[in-house]
Amino acid sequence: MRLAFVVLAALAAIGCRQDMHDQPRYRYNSASDFWGDRRAARPAVQGTVARGQLKTEDTLYWSGTIQGQAVDLFPMPVTKEVIARGMDRYNIYCSPCHGSSGKGDGMIVTRGLKNPPSYHTEALRDQPAGHFFNVITNGNGSMMPYAARIPVPDRWAIVAYIRVLQRSQNVQVAELSASDREKVEKEEPLHPAPRKQEAGH
């Protein structure tokens, strides 16, 4: 009895049609005789917004602006993790031009290209965070837009790291700890380079 059931089930499976499995479909951007414009891909309904992409609801996050003005605010808490991510992305995308310290002395200068501006000028120190986000997004002068290469959260992380670089080159002596102030007065580095390990260790 069990064998007969297995045989019947096998025959039924062989006879199953695959219409639902192998449905007719169009290839991406292929032609279609069904629509008047002969395009298989249909345009989105006007006003359609992908979930989570309604940029008009949070202009600070998407553009660094509030009511059309660049502002010196971040759309998220600037944590140690955000700054570390910003440093990583900065070193990949920004340091070839702007240099590791933000002075505009990156590798491109040694190749004969023009120096980008230093982040440590008074003019750029006074710019709001939204300005840097906008420049990363849309480019400026000879700098190309990076919106297609750097996601929005990473752009904000880079801006946070730029602020760290600016702060690192513009600290008042009175703001330092007593031990760091003593090092400055002796012209010692505040953060000595780590010792190189000897071979075999």
Side-chain angles (χ1 to χ4, degrees):
M1 184 68 179
R2 182 177 296 179
L3 179 61
F5 176 78
V6 171
V7 171
L8 287 173
L11 290 173
I14 293 172
C16 283
R17 298 180 61 184
Q18 296 292 304
D19 291 351
M20 292 294 290
H21 181 74
D22 299 323
Q23 296 185 45
R25 61 185 175 83
Y26 288 106
R27 292 185 177 274
Y28 184 72
N29 283 340
S30 61
S32 168
D33 293 329
F34 184 81
W35 303 100
D37 59 7
R38 299 185 56 79
R39 293 186 303 167
R42 308 313 305 147
V45 176
Q46 187 174 4
T48 299
V49 178
R51 183 175 296 177
Q53 302 291 310
L54 188 56
K55 299 181 181 181
T56 56
E57 284 193 343
D58 191 351
T59 59
L60 173 60
Y61 178 77
W62 291 105
S63 68
T65 63
I66 294 178
Q67 295 181 347
Q69 296 294 319
V71 292
D72 199 23
L73 297 171
F74 285 84
M76 74 294 186
V78 179
T79 63
K80 186 176 180 180
E81 290 74 23
V82 168
I83 292 171
R85 176 67 177 180
M87 179 175 70
D88 179 70
R89 299 294 93 182
Y90 177 92
N91 287 333
I92 292 171
Y93 293 105
C94 312
S95 65
C97 297
H98 292 278
S100 58
S101 64
K103 294 181 179 178
D105 56 355
M107 179 183 62
I108 67 156
V109 179
T110 65
R111 303 292 193 270
L113 298 178
K114 184 179 177 182
N115 297 62
S118 170
Y119 292 132
H120 307 296
T121 62
E122 185 175 354
L124 284 184
R125 282 201 303 268
D126 291 343
Q127 288 290 345
H131 164 79
F132 297 101
F133 181 87
N134 179 64
V135 171
I136 296 170
T137 302
N138 301 306
N140 185 40
S142 59
M143 176 177 163
M144 63 185 294
Y146 277 83
R149 294 168 174 77
I150 306 176
V152 170
D154 284 348
R155 280 178 248 164
W156 280 114
I158 289 171
V159 175
Y161 183 66
I162 289 172
R163 284 301 197 217
V164 169
L165 290 178
Q166 290 176 322
R167 182 70 174 156
S168 73
Q169 302 296 312
N170 193 42
V171 177
Q172 301 299 315
V173 173
E175 299 177 58
L176 297 173
S177 65
S179 61
D180 284 344
R181 195 158 49 240
E182 184 179 346
K183 291 178 181 179
V184 169
E185 290 167 357
K186 293 181 179 180
E187 297 185 353
E188 297 177 5
L190 296 181
H191 303 286
R195 293 174 58 186
K196 293 183 179 180
Q197 290 187 341
E198 297 180 6
H201 292 273

